[in-house]
Amino acid sequence: MSEEKTEQETVENTEEELEQNINEAEAEAEAVENEFDLLQTELTELKDKYARVHADFDNIKKRLEREKYTAVEYSNEKFAKDMIPVMDALDGAMKSADGDADKAERFDNLKEGIELTHKSLLTQLEKHGVTLVAHDEPFDPNIHNAVQAIDSEDVESGQIVQTFQTGYKYKSRPLREAMVIVAN
């Protein structure tokens, strides 16, 4: 009987262990399922967040593209506004030529108006980075175009003797080379 009792106790212990193992497995499965649900929720949230960030990025990209286009389209607006006083000066110079004064006085007024307009134009160009190419510097093939070379006792070799056409630079880049005669 004691063997039977021991066997029965062993079976009962095994059943209890089995039941305990099943309960532990069910608890572990439930924990894994809960963790899976949490991860699934987190994944959904991250996908949504990614979609929103991607949409925001696309919107910013489109807005920057529009702003770039607008900036390029209206990039010369400030320059154009600064040229209006030059046009006003030219209008004034033309009106002074039609005055009732004698020819010599009209000529002097016209000459003065043209000089003021020229000065105003140079000032506005310099304000926007456009400068004259210097004529009193040694010859520089990057900003000067030598159309002729002559012998000169007054000017040393490599120096500019005369300028045929004024050159212009925008900041450091040449817009138009100065056409010059260079001393040999």
Side-chain angles (χ1 to χ4, degrees):
M1 197 137 157
S2 104
E3 261 182 48
E4 253 181 53
K5 199 174 184 184
T6 309
E7 210 175 280
Q8 189 177 1
E9 284 178 6
T10 305
V11 168
E12 284 176 9
N13 286 343
T14 306
E15 283 178 2
E16 284 177 13
E17 285 178 15
L18 190 58
E19 193 173 308
Q20 187 178 359
N21 286 344
I22 289 173
N23 287 340
E24 287 175 5
E26 285 176 352
E28 192 175 319
E30 189 176 321
V32 168
E33 189 174 322
N34 287 341
E35 188 175 344
F36 178 78
D37 289 343
L38 286 173
L39 290 174
Q40 193 71 26
T41 303
E42 186 178 347
L43 177 64
T44 303
E45 289 172 0
L46 288 174
K47 282 182 177 180
D48 183 53
K49 187 176 181 180
Y50 169 77
R52 289 176 192 270
V53 167
H54 192 272
D56 286 346
F57 175 76
D58 282 345
N59 290 337
I60 290 170
K61 184 177 170 184
K62 288 174 186 174
R63 186 189 58 168
L64 288 175
E65 189 67 29
R66 281 191 310 270
E67 287 175 1
K68 181 179 82 170
Y69 175 76
T70 301
V72 168
E73 183 75 17
Y74 292 98
S75 63
N76 293 325
E77 181 178 17
K78 188 172 180 354
F79 179 75
K81 281 183 179 180
D82 288 340
M83 289 297 107
I84 292 172
V86 176
M87 287 300 298
D88 292 341
L90 281 172
D91 288 341
M94 288 188 295
K95 286 177 185 174
S96 73
D98 294 335
D100 291 334
D102 67 337
K103 285 185 180 186
E105 190 177 334
R106 284 194 323 228
F107 177 77
D108 288 341
N109 289 342
L110 183 61
K111 182 179 178 194
E112 182 182 350
I114 290 172
E115 287 171 352
L116 289 173
T117 302
H118 185 261
K119 183 178 177 183
S120 175
L121 179 60
L122 285 177
T123 301
Q124 295 305 326
L125 287 173
E126 286 176 1
K127 181 178 174 181
H128 290 278
V130 178
T131 56
L132 298 172
V133 170
H135 305 286
D136 54 353
E137 295 178 356
F139 175 75
D140 179 357
N142 296 315
I143 57 174
H144 298 112
N145 180 15
V147 293
Q148 187 177 0
I150 61 170
D151 293 326
S152 174
E153 294 177 11
D154 299 333
V155 180
E156 58 184 80
S157 179
Q159 293 289 328
I160 296 171
V161 176
Q162 184 181 355
T163 301
F164 281 122
Q165 186 178 51
T166 303
Y168 295 91
K169 293 188 294 186
Y170 178 67
K171 299 185 180 181
S172 62
R173 289 184 178 175
L175 289 174
R176 180 177 78 184
E177 297 172 333
M179 294 175 64
V180 296
I181 296 175
V182 180
N184 280 336

